[in-house]
Amino acid sequence: MGLTGVTLLVTLMVVAAVTLPANACLPADQAALMDIKAALKEPYLGIFNTWTGSNCCQGWYGVSCDPTTQRVADIVLRGESEDPIYEKAGRSGYMTGSLSPSLCKLDKLTTLIVADWKDISGEIPACVTSLPDLRILELIGNKITGQIPENIGQLSKLTVLNLADNKICGSIPASIVNLGKLKHLELSNNQLTGEIPSDIGKLGMMSRALLNKNKLTGSIPNSITQLRRLADLDLSMNQITGSLPAQLGSMPVLSTLNLDSNQISSSIPTNLLSSSGLNILNLSRNSLEGELPDVFCSKTYFTHLDLSYNNLRGSVPKSLSSAKYIGHLDLSHNHLCGPIPNGSPFDHLEASSFSNNDCLCGSPLRTC
């Protein structure tokens, strides 16, 4: 490059520095934020009153920028928060409107949280799947409709996907299993239909999967037992059928398993009740059959064990008395027979834990 070229380059750099002040956000990012603001209405707290002036990287409520590039990196707007603005107003947040597709122009966005505003409606902009750096997408507690974007699996850096407590319909996109870094999946309390993807076991980083209170059908995929980091699984209040995967009780860190209020019709796998890691197990209100495995031991520690409203038969396992701890136990509304063992945990359980067992064979369920 000649002297003239060098001089021209230096001149352009100086002009650019003068044109874009230090710590100022990109005009295109600011324009996108103004579109987002225009599509939403927040009448009580006045948080969007702070979205003014020429620098969206400073003083705009809920907006933060990358300090190096001055690109908008995070939008965090929570309708329920401990922020002083809520205490001063004496109320939680309320917002109407919808999510503007212009948010997809913020192509360096890593966090998008617009949560618990109660009345934001409309659909999730499909273009959100084009945000290459997005790590957290949290839209819980609104009235968002439509479907989960089909190409959600393109968000290769996503670690949290929380769309709970909305009115989202349709099926869980097949591409969701491509979210290799996903740790937290929460889709509960929506109107989702169809089956859980059969290859959900590909989500090897996932530690929490909450899909309860939907209209999901089909059986529990066997591949779910391949999720070696999964600690919390909730599929309750759906329309799931079929059997309980035999290896559910062998998952190394699973501590909470809620499958209640479905149509599961198998027997209970032995390793599910002998697991030393599970401490909350709710299988109530299904069509489970067979006898209760007599496999409890000194490592058994259940804070909550609910097997009520099933078709279980046989006797109450005597080995329950050898359990390290049983907090809440409910075996009511089954077909159990015979004596209720003495000692712990039976001596601190209420009679309702064993009520409404219409014994189909042998003597009725009774206290020794």
Side-chain angles (χ1 to χ4, degrees), residues 22-179:
N23 301 322
C25 68
L26 204 69
D29 283 3
Q30 185 149 328
L33 289 171
M34 294 306 292
D35 288 345
I36 294 170
K37 174 182 177 180
L40 296 168
K41 184 178 181 181
E42 190 281 295
Y44 300 115
L45 303 175
I47 63 172
F48 287 132
N49 294 339
T50 67
W51 287 29
T52 186
S54 59
N55 185 6
C56 65
C57 290
Q58 188 172 9
W60 287 37
Y61 187 91
V63 177
S64 60
C65 298
D66 183 289
T68 302
T69 64
Q70 296 305 308
R71 296 296 308 277
V72 173
D74 305 306
I75 298 177
V76 179
L77 300 174
R78 295 189 183 276
E80 296 180 3
S81 171
E82 296 181 0
D83 191 289
I85 193 173
Y86 296 88
E87 184 177 349
K88 183 178 179 180
R91 59 167 298 134
S92 59
Y94 176 78
M95 196 183 293
T96 58
S98 60
L99 298 174
S100 170
S102 290
L103 66 85
C104 304
K105 297 177 182 178
L106 301 170
D107 57 4
K108 294 300 180 182
L109 203 62
T110 63
T111 301
L112 177 60
I113 299 176
V114 184
D116 295 314
W117 293 102
K118 303 175 183 65
D119 219 11
I120 293 177
S121 56
E123 300 186 5
I124 302 170
C127 61
V128 75
T129 63
S130 68
L131 295 171
D133 297 322
L134 197 63
R135 290 175 171 82
I136 298 174
L137 177 57
E138 186 173 332
L139 305 176
I140 184 176
N142 293 295
K143 291 183 179 177
I144 294 171
T145 56
Q147 301 186 17
I148 301 171
E150 190 65 31
N151 294 326
I152 194 75
Q154 292 180 175
L155 296 173
S156 60
K157 296 182 180 180
L158 202 67
T159 61
V160 175
L161 177 60
N162 190 344
L163 307 177
D165 301 330
N166 280 288
K167 296 184 176 182
I168 298 170
C169 61
S171 60
I172 299 173
S175 72
I176 204 167
V177 302
N178 296 326
L179 299 175

